[in-house]
Amino acid sequence: MNSVLLAVIGVAMILAGYFLYSKYLANRVYRLEPNFTTPSHELTDGVDYVPTNKYVLWGHHFTSVAGAAPIVGPAVAVIWGWLPAFLWVTIGTIFMAGMHDMGALWASVRNKGKSIGALSERYIGARGANLFLVVIFLLLLMVNAAFAVVIANLLISTPTAVIPTWGAIVVALLIGQAIYRFKWNLAAVSVVGVVALYALILIGNSVPLSLPETVMGIPDNAVWIIILFVYAGIASILPVWLLLQPRDYINGLQLFIGLGLLYGSVLLAGRDMVAPAFNSNVPEGTPSLVPLLFVTIACGAISGFHGMVASGTSSKQLDKETDARFVGYFGAVGEGLLALGAIIATTAGFRTLADWESVYSAFNEGGVTAFVNGGGSIMNAGLGLSTTLSATVLATMAVLFAATTMDTGVRLQRFVVQEAGEAMRLTVGKGAATIIAVAVALGLTFGAGLDGSGGLLIWPLFGTTNQLMAGLTLGILAVMLLRRKRTIVPVVLPMIFLLAMTVYALFVQLGTFYRDSNWLLLVLDLIILVAAVWVIVESIGAMNRARQGEGADDEEVEQASTSQDRSS
Amino acid sequence: MTWFERFSAGLKEFYYGPYRQTFARAKQEEDDLFMMLVLSEALGVPNPASYYTIELLPVMYDRVHEWHTRMGLDRSPLDQFSCCC
């Protein structure tokens, strides 16, 4: 099959989902009202609650949710062939991700912009909120550990990406100075910043850098991982205007350019898919497609992390309730398109089936490296860039995604450590909390050996934890809809499917970890399994109570009556 | 607004938006430090710059009120500053 055809079908399906299904959800299920006073207007404070233009808000939302996961997940999952990954990404985006993200926005907007954690306390019970903290801690831990390994592997396999990766930090530092110290025009600085970033890619392409195979007896990828954690630790303590803010901004611009380049070259190259639609010849040790596919691709199909962003910041900035359709659903569409691009790059970007099979020689092999090489080959054919330059562009893109998520992740983990300290009546300083956050993630990364394989081994666990988070959000949505006596089918069917696959996958993995005597992962798996069963029991209980008519959404009733008073 | 001005405004919002809260918090911390410097004498801390800071006191009534409520004190802790008696 031709990759252009697949891209066109995929994009058409996802866009049809936006134009048709999201309209149904907006009008019939969530019943978004243009006149509802959103928290951004009701509680305007110029800080958190600020009515924001929907296109700008979509940009924030999309760049916040798009990390390395929509690339890593599909790039690993195509080992079962491109068709299962394609179907899960498209159908998942249309019927699950869009519904979930838009629903999380709606739920939060209807509750004064509260986060999913606070909502779980209200709709599912106090235990739901505790569960939320455990899940969020694990999720951040996994993101930090796994992304460090992904970046280290990329820096080794694509040495040309080393200069642009670290150079991007210098560019970000200069942008921060230019805007805050010298008050230069933002548009001009942005253009110069993006040009400088791509100039660094050109320099990196002609000056590849790599570490010696071992440094003081430590293998090179372990050295990169340590360097990355030191960087993330420092970045998480620095003032945000100095590094994180300009870095996230330039990465956001780069994301739009990267997506454009990738899809443009797919259209121009017109490659055939070399990988099989269904891979019947999977390498030994590959787990079965069901249920692992559904947890391997989380971001790009459905992801609980999106609910955290939607209810954490986006909902407080939503200008009109009806904008939730564009910001939430179309945000998921952007993520789905990124995942689709990753599927095409990792299956159409090889010369022959044998080439593809040699890269995908074992489960968790290939991955992002396949995305970089395969995508590089497509960009070479489509845009005429040299293969190494295209690979450098894509590797830099993947590294920047992962690195911006990782440094923010370490920062968030520091807050979690400090909050946990407060709960235990201990004051944990900024430095100590950062050291704890980094040390725990490092311990996990090197838990399975000095090669850092622990970081990626836990990647399937990221999927299950993330899907559990999504299950929790869907449970809240179902309770809210039941209390309003509306249909819950569009929410409950995906929830049942998601939780069933997550629990199934957790059991499968439990067996694998036991056989491999991997006690660290076994314990983590058990914690998530207990949490998953907990979510299910709590959600069923809450839904039953809601079905019996217990509980009303007081605040909403209050607002409705106030607006009635106002109109009369 | 021309399309370029609208684009420029959007770009600015895209740059500042995600970190609005963090900046507001940093600014508040800075203000609190400044407040402590200005009021240090009243608080019993020797202040070498009191000659300069004393002039600022009249314009700071509102801010002192916000500050002490933020610090968890219902009433002003300073006798000279009865902003909410």
Side-chain angles (χ1 to χ4, degrees):
Chain A
M1 186 169 181
N2 194 288
S3 60
V4 177
L5 190 61
L6 191 74
V8 170
I9 293 174
V11 172
M13 278 172 78
I14 294 177
L15 286 182
Y18 172 68
F19 287 114
L20 303 173
Y21 190 56
S22 80
K23 196 171 184 182
Y24 162 76
L25 290 173
N27 295 339
R28 307 293 287 276
V29 181
Y30 301 129
R31 298 191 194 160
L32 305 180
E33 287 172 28
N35 296 326
F36 183 81
T37 317
T38 54
S40 72
H41 288 283
E42 193 187 349
L43 307 163
T44 314
D45 62 359
V47 178
D48 292 321
Y49 297 89
V50 181
T52 305
N53 175 298
K54 71 174 178 179
Y55 298 103
V56 173
L57 188 56
W58 174 81
H60 282 324
H61 183 78
F62 174 42
T63 50
S64 307
V65 295
I71 298 174
V72 181
V76 170
V78 290
I79 197 157
W80 291 293
W82 56 262
L83 191 59
F86 173 79
L87 289 176
W88 174 228
V89 163
T90 47
I91 295 174
T93 300
I94 297 168
F95 293 105
M96 299 194 192
M99 173 273 295
H100 169 275
D101 299 7
M102 178 177 168
L105 263 178
W106 168 75
S108 177
V109 162
R110 288 275 160 173
N111 284 284
K112 300 194 185 291
K114 284 186 187 140
S115 71
I116 288 294
L119 293 186
S120 66
E121 191 167 358
R122 178 171 177 189
Y123 290 103
I124 306 212
R127 281 183 300 244
N130 291 333
L131 185 68
F132 180 81
L133 265 184
V134 174
V135 173
I136 204 172
F137 181 83
L138 285 175
L139 211 56
L140 286 172
L141 184 63
M142 288 171 191
V143 164
N144 295 340
F147 283 12
V149 180
V150 168
I151 301 172
N153 288 347
L154 269 178
L155 291 179
I156 291 170
S157 63
T158 323
T160 47
V162 172
I163 287 184
T165 299
W166 298 102
I169 296 173
V170 180
V171 172
L173 285 168
L174 292 176
I175 289 182
Q177 295 292 322
I179 290 169
Y180 286 101
R181 201 150 287 194
F182 306 117
K183 315 265 180 230
W184 287 350
N185 179 288
L186 180 66
V189 173
S190 310
V191 173
V192 173
V194 170
V195 170
L197 189 66
Y198 280 86
L200 279 170
I201 291 177
L202 285 175
I203 296 171
N205 191 50
S206 41
V207 190
L209 290 180
S210 47
L211 290 174
E213 263 180 40
T214 53
V215 181
M216 291 186 294
I218 307 170
D220 50 357
N221 64 336
V223 176
W224 275 129
I225 290 170
I226 294 167
I227 294 175
L228 282 163
F229 272 113
V230 170
Y231 154 73
I234 295 172
S236 76
I237 296 179
L238 287 178
V240 281
W241 69 267
L242 198 63
L243 180 59
L244 285 194
Q245 187 196 23
R247 191 166 153 79
D248 283 354
Y249 171 72
I250 201 87
N251 191 43
L253 296 181
Q254 193 254 147
L255 168 66
F256 298 124
I257 297 172
L259 258 184
L261 283 178
L262 191 61
Y263 272 92
S265 44
V266 166
L267 286 179
L268 291 172
R271 288 284 192 88
D272 281 329
M273 318 286 284
V274 290
F278 272 106
N279 189 9
S280 49
N281 184 26
V282 288
E284 208 177 315
T286 306
S288 69
L289 185 155
V290 178
L292 259 287
L293 170 72
F294 304 100
V295 290
T296 304
I297 304 181
C299 291
I302 176 167
S303 159
F305 179 68
H306 294 198
M308 278 165 60
V309 174
S311 66
T313 53
S314 305
S315 65
K316 297 178 180 70
Q317 300 177 55
L318 207 68
D319 185 21
K320 276 188 263 169
E321 196 182 54
T322 40
D323 290 352
R325 184 179 163 212
F326 184 75
V327 175
Y329 200 101
F330 207 69
V333 165
E335 185 96 320
L337 292 181
L338 193 57
L340 186 62
I343 293 173
I344 293 173
T346 49
T347 51
F350 293 87
R351 259 173 222 289
T352 60
L353 178 61
D355 278 359
W356 182 80
E357 280 178 340
S358 70
V359 170
Y360 279 88
S361 56
F363 186 63
N364 262 345
E365 288 291 322
V368 191
T369 314
F371 166 76
V372 168
N373 294 335
S377 159
I378 291 180
M379 277 171 68
N380 168 255
L383 300 175
L385 301 176
S386 74
T387 324
T388 49
L389 181 60
S390 320
T392 310
V393 171
L394 288 177
T396 311
M397 180 170 141
V399 168
L400 291 186
F401 282 163
T404 46
T405 311
M406 188 183 154
D407 51 28
T408 312
V410 171
R411 200 181 185 89
L412 291 174
Q413 191 73 307
R414 161 162 70 87
F415 295 147
V416 173
V417 171
Q418 283 178 310
E419 275 171 28
E422 264 172 43
M424 289 185 276
R425 289 167 195 276
L426 281 173
T427 313
V428 187
K430 220 189 229 185
T434 307
I435 290 172
I436 294 173
V438 169
V440 175
L442 266 177
L444 189 61
T445 315
F446 293 122
L450 202 57
D451 58 351
S453 55
L456 260 197
L457 264 183
I458 53 162
W459 189 251
L461 281 183
F462 166 81
T464 44
T465 320
N466 203 22
Q467 305 304 52
L468 192 62
M469 193 64 226
L472 191 65
T473 309
L474 293 182
I476 293 167
L477 288 178
V479 172
M480 284 183 71
L481 292 173
L482 273 173
R483 285 188 183 183
R484 288 168 171 75
K485 304 207 182 326
R486 292 185 201 160
T487 174
I488 55 165
V489 179
V491 175
V492 166
L493 284 184
M495 179 180 141
I496 295 172
F497 176 78
L498 201 63
L499 289 175
M501 286 303 157
T502 305
V503 173
Y504 186 8
L506 282 166
F507 274 113
V508 169
Q509 288 173 331
L510 205 61
T512 316
F513 299 146
Y514 182 72
R515 270 196 303 281
D516 299 347
S517 306
N518 196 335
W519 307 120
L520 179 82
L521 294 183
L522 187 93
V523 171
L524 279 176
D525 193 300
L526 270 176
I527 295 174
I528 301 166
L529 191 60
V530 169
V533 175
W534 202 344
V535 165
I536 295 169
V537 172
E538 294 277 344
S539 303
I540 292 173
M543 276 189 247
N544 262 336
R545 288 195 297 277
R547 197 194 302 270
Q548 285 153 11
E550 195 182 298
D553 279 323
D554 310 329
E555 281 152 34
E556 197 183 327
V557 173
E558 197 181 302
Q559 194 181 25
S561 62
T562 347
S563 54
Q564 248 176 10
D565 290 346
R566 234 181 279 142
S567 58
S568 62
Chain B
M1 268 210 277
T2 62
W3 72 267
F4 183 74
E5 281 167 340
R6 276 209 306 274
F7 174 74
S8 201
L11 206 60
K12 239 181 207 145
E13 186 60 34
F14 186 63
Y15 184 77
Y16 291 104
Y19 290 94
R20 210 180 266 125
Q21 188 194 38
T22 322
F23 285 130
R25 202 178 293 136
K27 183 175 175 291
Q28 201 174 64
E29 274 169 20
E30 223 164 68
D31 282 353
D32 286 344
L33 181 70
F34 170 72
M35 180 90 70
M36 203 195 72
L37 269 178
V38 174
L39 297 176
S40 58
E41 206 129 84
L43 291 164
V45 184
N47 179 4
S50 60
Y51 175 75
Y52 301 98
T53 54
I54 196 117
E55 286 183 18
L56 296 168
L57 292 180
V59 291
M60 289 185 60
Y61 269 90
D62 289 345
R63 287 169 64 181
V64 168
H65 179 71
E66 280 169 20
W67 166 71
H68 72 72
T69 41
R70 197 160 56 239
M71 292 296 144
L73 304 163
D74 291 339
R75 293 187 175 281
S76 166
L78 310 168
D79 294 338
Q80 305 92 317
F81 263 86
S82 32
C83 48
C84 49
C85 48

